[in-house]
Amino acid sequence: MSLDTLGNLYRLRLGTTGSTLSDLRRGDLDKRPEEFVLVTADHQTAGRGQRGTSWESAPGMNLLFALGLRPETLRADEQFRLSQLTALAVADALGLYLPAECIAVKWPNDIYVGDKKICGILIEHDLCGTRIAATRIGIGVNVNQRTFAGDAPNPVSLRQISGHDTDREALLESIVRFFIRRYRAVCNGETDALHAEYCSRLYRRTGFHAYRDAAGPFRARIAGIGADGRLALEDADGHLRRYAFKEVAAVLPSAPARPGDKDGRERD
């Protein structure tokens, strides 16, 4: 089995590019008749991480790809469903190589192993009235990279964890197939189970932990995730705080200090 057997998917393979997500935005890819469009590259020169960081990836070592689709059956207020199913699809695939209990989804959609980030996901939507006209998903998975020297604060690769290289194409195929399976389920209305599984696999899903918002550091526990993706944290005084994406950051005591950290420990 391979991705070539998926008749509803068009794939564009690139060597070096600026960003697969940017490539997906350009040209006629949005007009392809296939249900899904996949852009893959061996190297990106302008890959983006969260909060303005770059996405470091040695040539030919990792998975760098963007997936485009037209989820017109989903409402504009269901955008977070796509974030949830994408994160869980990557976690599903990594669970073929690592113990599932080691893999967590850090709100909203990063994939962590322990306190280390193994995958980053960026999602953008085009809306048409109350519907989602198009979705573009950029995914970077650290697979075979040995060391990291860039500005990402806490990266880890599958090789660093397992001690051996992984077939990137096989992992990519697993991610795409899990994604399509979960996407079909959401389109069929199976959203409650998706949300429950997402919440059960959250990083820091139990206990009080350190966070930081615009007002400064505090300790809190996850109290819930709204259907719109907003994070609810209950602080040590029992106050409920709700955050949209980028309004709060986790602080990881175990992470080593790097230049530019606010307190030497802030991590995304």
Side-chain angles (χ1 to χ4, degrees):
M1 297 291 287
S2 74
L3 290 175
D4 295 331
T5 65
L6 292 176
N8 58 350
L9 181 143
Y10 171 79
R11 181 176 182 180
L12 174 63
R13 300 171 186 256
L14 302 172
T16 297
T17 189
S19 162
T20 57
L21 192 57
S22 297
D23 290 325
L24 191 58
R25 278 191 223 106
R26 292 195 293 265
D28 295 327
L29 291 180
D30 280 345
K31 300 180 179 64
R32 295 287 313 180
E34 293 84 2
E35 186 176 10
F36 305 97
V37 175
L38 177 67
V39 180
T40 61
D42 286 328
H43 182 49
Q44 287 186 155
T45 59
R48 290 185 295 133
Q50 302 290 7
R51 297 179 185 268
T53 62
S54 62
W55 184 264
E56 178 187 359
S57 181
M61 291 287 104
N62 304 313
L63 279 183
L64 306 165
F65 64 100
L67 186 63
L69 60 151
R70 296 179 291 272
E72 295 170 344
T73 60
L74 297 181
R75 301 188 310 270
D77 61 3
E78 294 181 294
Q79 295 175 47
F80 188 59
R81 305 293 188 199
L82 290 160
S83 181
Q84 289 177 307
L85 73 89
T86 302
L88 289 176
V90 175
D92 290 338
L94 288 174
L96 301 175
Y97 301 86
L98 300 172
E101 62 271 17
C102 297
I103 304 165
V105 179
K106 179 178 174 290
W107 176 85
N109 53 26
D110 285 338
I111 307 300
Y112 267 45
V113 178
D115 288 331
K116 299 286 189 176
K117 181 175 175 177
I118 195 170
C119 171
I121 299 170
L122 295 174
I123 303 180
E124 58 186 40
H125 305 279
D126 293 341
L127 304 182
C128 182
T130 61
R131 298 290 171 178
I132 304 173
T135 295
R136 291 173 289 273
I137 304 167
I139 300 177
V141 185
N142 298 326
V143 184
N144 294 325
Q145 190 150 334
R146 271 64 168 172
T147 59
F148 295 89
D151 60 356
N154 57 336
V156 71
S157 69
L158 191 53
R159 190 193 190 283
Q160 288 176 324
I161 300 167
S162 67
H164 56 79
D165 283 352
T166 295
D167 185 324
R168 293 184 301 142
E169 186 68 17
L171 177 56
L172 173 65
E173 179 187 341
S174 295
I175 293 172
V176 173
R177 290 186 180 275
F178 279 124
F179 175 91
I180 293 175
R181 183 183 306 170
R182 287 188 174 276
Y183 174 67
R184 297 273 186 257
V186 167
C187 290
N188 288 331
E190 299 174 30
T191 57
D192 289 345
L194 176 80
H195 188 73
E197 183 178 359
Y198 175 86
C199 291
S200 74
R201 301 191 71 169
L202 279 174
Y203 172 71
R204 291 185 167 183
R205 61 186 173 274
T206 61
F208 282 79
H209 301 275
Y211 294 89
R212 178 189 292 275
D213 63 11
F218 63 98
R219 292 185 64 80
R221 69 173 187 87
I222 295 177
I225 307 288
D228 60 356
R230 289 174 66 87
L231 172 68
L233 295 176
E234 181 184 358
D235 64 27
D237 295 323
H239 298 135
L240 203 60
R241 307 178 181 212
R242 290 185 172 85
Y243 298 96
F245 180 45
K246 294 186 179 180
E247 292 180 349
V248 66
V251 178
L252 306 183
S254 62
R258 291 194 182 197
D261 286 349
K262 293 180 181 178
D263 63 353
R265 298 176 297 170
E266 187 169 335
R267 295 293 180 263
D268 291 320

